[in-house]
Amino acid sequence: MATVEIKGIISSDENAEVYEWFGYDTVSPSRIKEQLDGIDDGEDVIVNIGSNGGEVTAGSEIYTMLRQAKNNVEVHVTSLAASAASFIAMAGDKVLMSPTAQMMIHRASTGAEGNRDAMSQAGQMLDSTDQMLVDVYKAKTGLSKPALYQMLKDETWLNANDAIKLGFADGKMFDDVPEETDVVANPAYNAFGLINLSANKIASVKAMLHPKPVPDDGQKLIQDNTVDSQLIKEKLAILFG
C-alpha cells in the first residue's frame, strides 16, 4: 500500500515557490507525479487530502494523473477538501472521509483586468469551468446538473454524513456505517482564508525571488535571504497593498 499526500495550496509548478515564500504548504502537479512515479503499477494507493484548494488548472492535472494511474486509488479526506481539492477527490475509485472532515464546492472565481472584451472572455472562461465542475461531480454523485449548479452557487459545505448521503463520498474512515442526516447547504467564506494571489502579486514576488543582475564588481546579484522586519513589511505590502 502506497500513499500520496495532497496537503496545502494547490498550485502550478511555476507559482509554487511564491506561495512557499509566504510560508504556505504547497502541492503542485510535478510533486504529485514524483510520488506516483515511485509506485509500482497495480499497487494500491491511498491519497490523503487536506487542502483549501487553489488553481483549477493545477487541480485538473492532478485529477487526470490520478485517473490515469494504473492503480486502485482510494481517497481519504483527512480534514478538508475544498474548492479545487474537492474535484481532485472525485478521482478516487473510492472516497472516504474522516468523521471530522469536510468538503466544500463553489463556483469558479478569477481576477481579470482590461477592456470589455477581456471581461467577457473571463466570464466565458468561468462559465466553462463551472460546467466542467458540474460534469465531474455528476459523474461521481449522479445528482442532476441543476441541483449541482445550485450547490456551487451556494458554496456548499458538506460534513462526512452529508457527503456520503449525496454521493460525493462512499463512506467514513474508521466507520463502515454512515449515519443519516439532513443535508444543509451553508455559505462559505474564501475557504478558511485561502489566499488568492493575483498575477501582478505573483510577478512582484518572483521579481524579488529572482532579481536581475546589477553592475557591481562583476555583476553581483542582489541577495538577502534574511527574514527581517523589512521583508515582513514587503510581504504584507504585496498581500494587502
Side-chain angles (χ1 to χ4, degrees):
M1 183 77 69
T3 60
V4 171
E5 302 292 332
I6 298 178
K7 305 291 185 178
I9 293 176
I10 297 163
S11 169
S12 64
D13 292 322
E14 63 179 347
N15 291 339
E17 64 176 355
V18 174
Y19 290 101
E20 289 170 345
W21 187 69
F22 284 106
Y24 285 85
D25 291 331
T26 308
V27 60
S28 65
S30 66
R31 294 174 187 178
I32 297 303
K33 184 177 185 302
E34 289 175 0
Q35 295 182 66
L36 290 173
D37 285 346
I39 301 172
D40 294 333
D41 290 350
E43 184 178 3
D44 289 346
V45 176
I46 290 179
V47 178
N48 293 314
I49 298 180
S51 171
N52 291 0
E55 299 176 27
V56 170
T57 51
S60 176
E61 287 192 57
I62 294 171
Y63 170 90
T64 303
M65 281 189 281
L66 294 176
R67 288 297 302 270
Q68 289 178 331
K70 297 178 181 179
N71 312 81
N72 179 70
V73 175
E74 183 171 293
V75 167
H76 289 183
V77 180
T78 60
S79 56
L80 176 66
S83 193
S86 68
F87 74 76
I88 290 176
M90 301 299 100
D93 297 297
K94 186 175 183 180
V95 180
L96 301 180
M97 292 181 65
S98 169
T100 59
Q102 295 212 51
M103 190 176 291
M104 186 276 279
I105 66 173
H106 65 166
R107 297 189 71 180
S109 62
T110 189
E113 60 182 18
N115 58 26
R116 182 170 181 174
D117 291 335
M119 298 299 103
S120 177
Q121 291 167 0
Q124 191 276 327
M125 179 274 291
L126 291 173
D127 285 340
S128 177
T129 301
D130 286 343
Q131 292 171 26
M132 174 275 289
L133 294 172
V134 166
D135 288 341
V136 171
Y137 297 134
K138 186 179 189 302
K140 173 64 178 174
T141 67
L143 295 173
S144 69
K145 289 188 175 183
L148 286 165
Y149 271 115
Q150 189 62 49
M151 292 179 71
L152 291 176
K153 183 178 179 180
D154 292 339
E155 296 192 350
T156 303
W157 288 86
L158 302 169
N159 60 34
N161 291 330
D162 296 341
I164 294 166
K165 186 173 182 178
L166 288 175
F168 288 89
D170 302 300
K172 290 182 188 178
M173 298 167 61
F174 327 118
D175 183 5
D176 295 330
V177 183
E179 298 177 6
E180 293 295 328
T181 63
D182 293 329
V183 177
V184 180
N186 296 316
Y189 60 96
N190 196 25
F192 282 107
L194 171 64
I195 63 170
N196 295 302
L197 296 179
S198 67
N200 288 339
K201 289 180 179 179
I202 287 176
S204 297
V205 174
K206 286 186 175 181
M208 296 176 66
L209 291 173
H210 305 288
K212 295 180 179 180
V214 297
D216 180 17
D217 297 333
Q219 298 286 310
K220 288 184 179 178
L221 290 178
I222 300 175
Q223 295 181 336
D224 184 4
N225 295 322
T226 303
V227 180
D228 55 16
S229 60
Q230 181 59 35
L231 183 57
I232 292 173
K233 289 179 181 178
E234 291 172 352
K235 288 185 178 183
L236 292 175
I238 292 171
L239 282 175
F240 303 110

